Amino acid sequence: MYSFESRVRYSEVDLERKLSVTGMINYLQDCSTFHSESLGVGIDYLKKQNRAWMLSSWQIVVDRYPELGEQIVVSTWPYDFKGIYGYRNFTICDQAGAYLVRANSIWFYLDTEAGRPVRIGEEAAGPYHPEEAPKLEMDYAPRRIVLPEEYREGEPVTVVRHQIDTNHHMNNAQYVELAREALTGECRIRELRVEYKKAAVLGDVIIPRIYSQEGSTAVSLCDRCGNPYAVVWLRTV
């Protein structure tokens, strides 16, 4: 397990002075990056090997939103590797150790030179010691998000420079932001799932398709031909 402590900053909170969804996802992503860097298998190492970890899906459950100034502990650990996939849990806890956020993620190992996923070998999995990591207790949802037939279309959005990360793709958190912006009205998200289909790059035009379901909403972020970059599912209160 890798952990780091932080304090919720003003720049990370929403209108209600609680940690924003984007801030939350950024903490989780930062924690996994710090973990890999601490083991010597981070960005520079992967670049030399022509490899990268690409996020396939998120499931994030919010037990309580941290508030402005609150001290938090962010933790992560991979618990399994199978074929091309790696499985990683995350938590954000308060100072008493109570869960604020619990998450599961599925990643695939990419050969960046060939542009295709490859099997995860011991050199990639070994440093994380997954055999020592228990799987977090939570209700695990399937990776695939099933959509109903009917939808309404939102306003097109063009990917801009500040949304691009070191992989030259739109950052994972930005898909969730676009999905939330496509919805009308303020809502408090209690659980979100994201299924990533293909990477959006600078200048791509994304057209949201919004699916209303009982107790939840899904947004498929599509290209001009209707092919999804990502599907975001949100359970709200």
Side-chain angles (χ1 to χ4, degrees), residues 69-80:
E70 185 171 356
Q71 297 284 348
I72 57 174
V73 180
V74 188
S75 302
T76 187
W77 61 97
Y79 61 87
D80 200 6

Side-chain angles (χ1 to χ4, degrees), residues 35-62:
H35 189 194
S36 296
E37 293 291 339
S38 73
L39 296 173
V41 289
I43 294 173
D44 289 340
Y45 169 83
L46 291 170
K47 186 176 181 179
K48 291 177 182 177
Q49 304 298 317
N50 295 314
R51 295 290 186 269
W53 289 103
M54 307 299 290
L55 187 58
S56 178
S57 68
W58 273 123
Q59 181 189 5
I60 301 173
V61 177
V62 184

Side-chain angles (χ1 to χ4, degrees), residues 101-180:
V101 177
R102 293 168 292 150
N104 186 52
S105 61
I106 303 174
W107 305 70
F108 64 89
Y109 202 44
L110 181 71
D111 181 330
T112 56
E113 195 170 43
R116 62 172 180 266
V118 292
R119 187 174 183 84
I120 300 166
E122 176 61 25
E123 76 287 347
Y128 296 103
H129 300 288
E131 70 280 355
E132 300 174 4
K135 189 175 179 180
L136 180 66
E137 290 189 13
M138 59 183 288
D139 292 328
Y140 287 83
R143 180 176 63 88
R144 185 166 181 265
I145 299 172
V146 179
L147 297 172
E149 291 185 5
E150 295 186 4
Y151 65 88
R152 61 182 175 87
E153 200 167 278
E155 292 294 322
V157 179
T158 301
V159 178
V160 294
R161 196 173 303 278
H162 75 80
Q163 296 172 314
I164 302 299
D165 62 18
T166 58
N167 292 313
H168 303 284
H169 301 154
M170 189 165 77
N171 184 263
N172 298 319
Q174 294 297 319
Y175 295 90
V176 178
E177 274 299 291
L178 291 185
R180 292 176 65 234

